[in-house]
Amino acid sequence: MTNLIKKTLPIPPFFNAETVGCVWRVPYQERAKKAKILAKEYQIEPSVNDKVQIALLIIDAQNTFCIPDFELFVGGRSGMGAVEDNVRLCEFIYRNLNAITTIIPTLDTHTAMQIFHPIFWVNEAGENPPPHTTIQRKDLQKGTWQVNPAMSDRLTQKDYQSLQSYALHYVKKLDSEGKYPLTIWPYHSMLGGIGHALVPAVEEAIFFHTIARQSPNQFELKGNHPLTENYSVLSPEVLEDEQGNLIMQKNNALIEKLLHFDKILIAGQAKSHCVAWTIDNLLTEIQKRNLALAQKVYLLEDCMSSVVIPGIVDFTEPAETSFQKFAQAGMHRVTSTGYSLN
């Protein structure tokens, strides 16, 4: 029997907001038992029966971005942004468990030898750039930074000039398309490492939803190509080399899947980077089809924070400019505490 009236659910007593900023093991078997008990008590049906199909896209809620003292913790202006965001995100999932059809978590996925990591570049002294260095066209033309010759052994069959030429093409392409300049990030989201994993509290909430709704989540990996950044889960920053040869494709399967939902909720980190670029790519695809589709999209703004490095850079205002554009296109700017699916 289909529930005609959905009720806002209680937050499970095991959820502890004080441990959201910590790393720990999710007790899967215990949580599975509790999820089945809750589903029976509140007559929660499998998500396949949902008349209104709702997707929750959670972007990069990983330890590397969301746990203090990890490589790229997104503190936002409060200093504890990602932790505070994830408390609200978990509570939103639990309260709306019976309405969310599918949860789609993305995972930023890297290895050491990628274009945005220090080892990829050297100066005349053979030194790698420090984290948060930006590399632009003038830096390559002046020789301030050049591709590390060792990279060509792995990436271009020892064709160093080809790789150097591609690097110049890459930074030019970013500039011509109005994207962020190439930033050298600390090694982060390393495949196989603890930083790559979802924050335990978020993983726990997703797992609980999976069992209660009998709805498999859909993990989406991004960022593992060595020659391009991949802020957006829908498309890499650069698709082609200087000869016009395709190096990567857009994530067309995910684009089509998202646009078939009745509602698309978006949360995650960082608002100014991976979240903003994902939404921007989604809007581009919507504009190609029907701008009215933008009204399907709900941005959970209290479940995301911008990159802020005190005394160095603050991306809060650029993010605000982007989100104003999204709202003008028809997307909804909401908060997890002020918006309910029930």
Side-chain angles (χ1 to χ4, degrees), residues 257-288:
K257 183 179 181 70
L258 287 172
L259 292 178
H260 275 87
F261 281 96
D262 297 302
K263 290 185 179 181
I264 307 159
L265 314 177
I266 301 178
Q269 304 301 336
K271 179 179 182 179
S272 53
H273 287 71
C274 296
V275 175
W277 286 121
T278 296
I279 299 168
D280 192 73
N281 284 165
L282 183 60
L283 179 57
T284 297
E285 296 300 323
I286 285 172
Q287 289 169 332
K288 293 177 183 178

Side-chain angles (χ1 to χ4, degrees), residues 198-217:
L198 286 174
V199 170
V202 175
E203 181 198 4
E204 181 177 55
I206 293 172
F207 177 79
F208 197 81
H209 172 271
T210 295
I211 302 300
R213 299 300 319 277
Q214 300 180 51
S215 174
N217 53 64

Side-chain angles (χ1 to χ4, degrees), residues 59-79:
I59 299 171
D60 299 358
Q62 296 162 267
N63 293 330
T64 201
F65 302 113
C66 299
I67 300 295
D69 297 327
F70 270 63
E71 301 87 358
L72 282 176
F73 175 63
V74 182
R77 285 185 172 175
S78 75

Side-chain angles (χ1 to χ4, degrees), residues 36 58 100 134-135 163 201 214 237 260 267 270 276 285 300 306 330:
K36 289 181 178 180
I58 302 177
I100 299 169
T134 57
I135 295 180
L163 189 55
Q214 300 180 51
E237 296 302 286
H260 275 87
E285 296 300 323
L300 299 175
S306 292

Side-chain angles (χ1 to χ4, degrees), residues 76 308-314:
V308 177
I309 305 172
I312 298 177
V313 68
D314 184 339

Side-chain angles (χ1 to χ4, degrees), residues 121-292:
W121 302 92
V122 292
N123 59 16
E124 289 185 349
E127 300 165 328
N128 304 127
H132 307 298
T133 298
T134 57
I135 295 180
Q136 303 183 54
R137 180 189 314 189
K138 63 182 180 180
D139 299 311
L140 296 186
Q141 292 171 335
K142 291 180 179 178
T144 304
W145 297 109
Q146 299 294 324
V147 175
N148 182 348
M151 296 299 103
S152 65
D153 291 347
R154 298 286 184 177
L155 302 178
T156 57
Q157 289 76 51
K158 299 186 178 181
D159 185 353
Y160 179 70
Q161 291 305 316
S162 173
L163 189 55
Q164 184 71 12
S165 176
Y166 173 81
L168 181 58
H169 157 78
Y170 185 83
V171 295
K172 286 180 177 179
K173 190 74 172 175
L174 293 179
D175 184 52
S176 67
E177 295 186 357
K179 296 185 176 181
Y180 291 141
L182 173 61
T183 299
I184 303 306
W185 296 107
Y187 299 105
H188 67 286
S189 295
M190 301 295 284
L191 182 62
I194 193 170
H196 184 254
L198 286 174
V199 170
V202 175
E203 181 198 4
E204 181 177 55
I206 293 172
F207 177 79
F208 197 81
H209 172 271
T210 295
I211 302 300
R213 299 300 319 277
Q214 300 180 51
S215 174
N217 53 64
Q218 178 179 325
F219 283 100
E220 292 286 333
L221 273 62
K222 67 180 182 69
N224 55 359
H225 196 287
L227 295 178
T228 180
E229 298 153 287
N230 212 148
Y231 292 124
S232 168
V233 69
L234 302 180
S235 179
E237 296 302 286
V238 173
L239 291 165
E240 300 174 342
D241 64 17
E242 62 270 43
Q243 284 81 39
N245 300 314
L246 202 65
I247 64 169
M248 279 195 73
Q249 297 184 2
K250 293 187 296 183
N251 191 340
N252 290 308
L254 180 57
I255 291 168
E256 296 302 325
K257 183 179 181 70
L258 287 172
L259 292 178
H260 275 87
F261 281 96
D262 297 302
K263 290 185 179 181
I264 307 159
L265 314 177
I266 301 178
Q269 304 301 336
K271 179 179 182 179
S272 53
H273 287 71
C274 296
V275 175
W277 286 121
T278 296
I279 299 168
D280 192 73
N281 284 165
L282 183 60
L283 179 57
T284 297
E285 296 300 323
I286 285 172
Q287 289 169 332
K288 293 177 183 178
R289 293 165 169 77
N290 180 353
L291 191 54

